[in-house]
Amino acid sequence: TTLIDEIELNILEMYFNEYTTIKGERKSQEIVRSALMRLNHWHIEELISKYKSLTVKIRNPKAYIQTMIYNIAFENDLSVTNAVQHDMNSFN
């Protein structure tokens, strides 16, 4: 299977599971679904890019990908905030 297939399968599993474990913490279906609903093409492209740039061997790819999916849902806001902050600092 391709990385895209793996991401899709994990998103579906996360969406339908009662809970998903992220970094050892159980997240309820409601919280996970809320994060998944934020995802757009930018998130998926960023996730693929980050995964392909990994230089370490992942012992549990499924758990790692699920954590990446969950975390990436919140990174767009951070990225935009940082870009705006950077632009504002450029004017000072």
Side-chain angles (χ1 to χ4, degrees):
T1 59
T2 67
L3 180 55
I4 300 267
D5 292 335
E6 286 295 318
I7 292 168
E8 183 180 7
L9 289 171
N10 279 287
I11 287 173
L12 286 170
E13 182 176 313
M14 292 168 72
Y15 187 85
F16 289 107
N17 278 353
E18 188 176 330
Y19 68 89
T20 300
T21 303
I22 305 293
K23 290 187 180 175
E25 185 180 325
R26 288 174 88 168
K27 304 280 185 186
S28 70
Q29 185 182 65
E30 182 180 336
I31 290 171
V32 171
R33 282 184 175 180
S34 174
L36 294 176
M37 296 315 250
R38 299 171 63 120
L39 296 176
N40 61 39
H41 73 281
W42 180 91
H43 294 107
I44 304 304
E45 287 175 14
E46 189 70 12
L47 192 148
I48 291 167
S49 173
K50 286 182 179 200
Y51 193 84
K52 285 183 174 180
S53 69
L54 290 174
T55 57
V56 294
K57 176 131 172 66
I58 306 302
R59 278 189 241 150
N60 186 344
K62 177 180 166 182
Y64 196 88
I65 288 175
Q66 288 187 358
T67 297
M68 287 183 78
I69 291 166
Y70 182 84
N71 289 337
I72 203 87
F74 302 101
E75 285 190 20
N76 193 24
D77 296 341
L78 250 166
S79 178
V80 169
T81 301
N82 289 342
V84 169
Q85 187 66 40
H86 180 267
D87 290 348
M88 295 302 289
N89 289 339
S90 298
F91 292 117
N92 295 335

